[in-house]
Amino acid sequence: MTFSPEFALKKPSFYQSKRIQLTSQILHIGSSVSRLNPFEYVQTDKKVYLPNQEALAKALVKQGGRFLDDYIQAIEERQDISRLLKQAFGSEWWNISVDGCQIFPKEAISQKLTSENITDLRPMIRNGMGQLFIPGSSIKGAIRTAIAYHLLKHSDRYQVPSSKRVSEIEKTLRQKLGQINQYQHKFLDDDLFMDSLFTEFDLTYQERKFRGKGPNTDFLRALKITDSEPLLESKMKTKTGQEIPVNIPVVAEVIVSSRFPDYLAKYKASIYVEMVRNVQTEFTLTLDTEMLSWFKHKQGMKLPFSNLDELLEICQEFTQEQWDYEHDYWEEIKNNPRASGKNLDFNHIREFYKPEKSPYSQRLGWGSGMTGTTINLLLGDELREDIRDTCGLKAPGFEAPKSRRTVMNPNGEIKFVPGWVKFKNS
């Protein structure tokens, strides 16, 4: 489908905009590189350093000898390069620069919150300046899931087509599971209901109707979300005048755990992840209300919001559903002090989930799991397990989701849950 030039270039005559302050205890947004090898970072007892590899190669060339050859060999063999750095640059290798460029930029140095030796490191996403940030696309993806959940939960209110209601989705899922290949798994939600909820719209502009399919007819075209401000480490004054550090880059040990049938906690693995503590940043939501009015669903479904306040209420509702589910999970689980050498003491996590009303506005990024990235809480327990076993890692006999991710503090206590964020008008 091709839209006319005047339609494509039409500027909004009315829009709503909110500057949103985003805060979080701890957060990780993954990058295009899922894991770093030992030659791609350097760890000491207290810090983890990610080098500017081009600057590092130049500096090794300037040092002469076999330093560059040894570095290339370390890359090929995926070896730790800390000994090579000490030999080439001395005991303060992290302060070296070449042609005015730091080998280890300030934005790529994290506090190490674990005494364990890091093996594979999962890095966080960075912008073009090498700074940690939250992409607007990540925020919009989380909002899209919240909207889908809201529409399906309140299908009568919004006249959702009968073929796309939860009962029909469950029926179709039971028929399709086991008959789809790995490539199709990635688009299962789109085929089942997402396309119908978001893209099966006609657009009416100046009494002319435009038909099409795909991104051009997605009503969330009317919603723009900027990337967050860079997550730069700094200090913020509280209301009492106290200064607290914010946007602290850390590398933490993340505990992946589940539970046995008797609810005793079960240790699965440890993952080492680059994260940000005490997140404090801002982004902008902009809704083109005129554009939103152009969208008319082909089967008569109503749009679930007309302004940003209603949109944020939808996010809050979905967050509360997840909060209630997680609260119940952690209330039932039993601590296990002898789980494969780990003390699985989740008392701090239970305390975190103690409030009846969620103090958070959204679940974002890595660690959100099935409940935060899908509409699975609307489906039956058995069907959720079948979906997990078909589309993810098989775990017959275990609930879905099976595992949880929690973060340890420097004292070895399981203290934090990743991904819960607050939105506040700035």
Side-chain angles (χ1 to χ4, degrees):
M1 179 189 70
T2 303
F3 289 117
S4 65
E6 79 245 40
F7 179 81
L9 297 176
K10 167 69 177 178
K11 293 183 179 179
S13 60
F14 184 79
Y15 61 89
Q16 293 182 349
S17 187
K18 283 183 180 287
R19 188 70 174 166
I20 303 294
Q21 184 183 73
L22 182 151
T23 58
S24 176
Q25 270 195 346
I26 194 162
L27 187 67
H28 172 84
I29 308 289
S31 72
S32 57
V33 178
S34 61
R35 296 184 184 182
L36 297 179
N37 293 305
F39 69 86
E40 295 176 291
Y41 61 89
V42 186
Q43 60 180 306
T44 64
D45 289 341
K46 295 185 178 180
K47 293 188 179 181
V48 176
Y49 302 81
L50 275 60
N52 177 324
Q53 303 219 4
E54 183 179 352
L56 176 56
K58 284 183 180 179
L60 291 170
V61 168
K62 284 194 173 186
Q63 290 300 98
R66 283 191 46 82
F67 289 124
L68 182 60
D69 293 337
D70 290 345
Y71 177 56
I72 293 172
Q73 183 179 349
I75 292 176
E76 291 174 346
E77 297 178 2
R78 298 173 180 264
Q79 296 177 345
D80 174 52
I81 62 171
S82 56
R83 182 179 298 177
L84 171 63
L85 292 172
K86 291 174 185 175
Q87 292 173 347
F89 307 119
S91 59
E92 294 191 4
W93 44 264
W94 55 84
N95 279 330
I96 301 299
S97 62
V98 57
D99 298 334
C101 180
Q102 284 289 128
I103 295 177
F104 294 96
K106 181 181 178 182
E107 293 84 4
I109 302 174
S110 299
Q111 294 183 22
K112 187 181 176 187
L113 296 190
T114 176
S115 60
E116 300 289 336
N117 184 56
I118 297 170
T119 48
D120 291 331
L121 174 63
R122 301 187 180 218
M124 183 155 161
I125 193 168
R126 285 176 161 80
N127 61 21
M129 302 296 290
Q131 300 162 331
L132 301 171
F133 80 114
I134 303 171
S137 57
S138 295
I139 301 171
K140 191 168 186 177
I143 290 175
R144 179 182 288 269
T145 303
I147 294 170
Y149 188 94
H150 182 78
L151 282 168
L152 293 173
K153 182 180 179 181
H154 305 287
S155 54
D156 287 340
R157 183 191 304 174
Y158 298 108
Q159 299 176 15
V160 174
S162 57
S163 62
K164 301 302 177 184
R165 300 197 177 196
V166 172
S167 58
E168 289 301 314
I169 291 171
E170 288 185 323
K171 186 186 300 183
T172 306
L173 273 170
R174 291 190 180 95
Q175 294 170 351
K176 282 181 174 281
L177 289 177
Q179 302 176 11
I180 49 181
N181 60 42
Q182 188 175 9
Y183 177 78
Q184 290 172 312
H185 288 168
K186 299 176 182 178
F187 304 100
L188 188 58
D189 287 353
D190 291 343
D191 293 340
L192 281 174
F193 57 89
M194 291 294 271
D195 282 346
S196 176
L197 297 181
F198 289 95
T199 67
E200 289 186 3
F201 287 82
D202 294 330
L203 283 74
T204 303
Y205 170 65
Q206 292 186 349
E207 299 182 355
R208 295 172 59 191
K209 185 170 285 190
F210 297 85
R211 298 179 179 274
K213 189 176 182 181
N216 284 329
T217 60
D218 188 329
F219 73 84
L220 283 193
R221 280 183 61 196
L223 178 68
K224 304 297 181 186
I225 304 178
T226 66
D227 294 340
S228 77
E229 295 294 326
L231 305 179
L232 301 179
E233 188 172 5
S234 60
K235 290 189 176 181
M236 181 189 72
K237 278 193 175 183
T238 64
K239 293 179 179 179
T240 61
Q242 180 185 6
E243 286 191 338
I244 59 171
V246 298
N247 297 331
I248 310 163
V250 299
V251 171
E253 180 179 0
V254 177
I255 299 295
V256 183
S257 65
S258 60
R259 61 189 185 188
F260 291 101
D262 64 356
Y263 293 92
L264 183 67
K266 175 180 169 59
Y267 174 74
K268 181 179 179 184
S270 287
I271 300 174
Y272 300 97
V273 184
E274 185 181 34
M275 314 182 86
V276 184
R277 282 274 293 118
N278 294 348
V279 175
Q280 183 85 28
T281 188
E282 293 185 348
F283 68 95
T284 300
L285 284 172
T286 302
L287 179 65
D288 183 341
T289 54
E290 181 186 23
M291 180 184 289
L292 193 65
S293 70
W294 300 344
F295 289 85
K296 305 296 179 186
H297 195 268
K298 294 177 180 178
Q299 298 182 63
M301 186 187 77
K302 297 178 182 178
L303 291 176
F305 64 92
S306 60
N307 56 60
L308 289 176
D309 288 335
E310 292 175 352
L311 176 61
L312 292 174
E313 286 175 7
I314 288 172
C315 294
Q316 188 70 58
E317 177 196 45
F318 183 46
T319 302
Q320 185 66 49
E321 299 271 322
Q322 297 173 66
W323 183 265
D324 292 342
Y325 185 79
E326 293 300 302
H327 169 273
D328 293 346
Y329 176 91
W330 291 108
E331 281 294 309
E332 294 171 345
I333 202 167
K334 301 174 186 176
N335 292 343
N336 186 351
R338 296 181 295 276
S340 302
K342 295 289 183 183
N343 179 15
L344 297 185
D345 183 338
F346 293 111
N347 288 338
H348 288 298
I349 307 303
R350 280 186 278 273
E351 188 67 24
F352 175 79
Y353 282 111
K354 197 170 184 179
E356 185 174 336
K357 182 178 180 182
S358 170
Y360 296 93
S361 311
Q362 189 62 276
R363 193 90 188 267
L364 189 62
W366 184 80
S368 301
M370 288 178 69
T371 57
T373 57
T374 70
I375 56 98
N376 277 338
L377 287 181
L378 293 174
L379 308 178
D381 293 346
E382 184 178 338
L383 181 56
R384 287 208 304 267
E385 292 172 23
D386 290 342
I387 294 170
R388 186 267 321 282
D389 291 342
T390 302
C391 301
L393 297 176
K394 295 183 185 299
F398 281 90
E399 65 198 326
K402 174 188 176 183
S403 61
R404 299 296 193 281
R405 292 168 173 81
T406 49
V407 185
M408 298 186 78
N409 69 8
N411 299 323
E413 300 171 309
I414 299 174
K415 192 68 182 284
F416 308 112
V417 183
W420 291 103
V421 300
K422 292 181 184 179
F423 293 163
K424 183 181 177 182
N425 290 337
S426 180

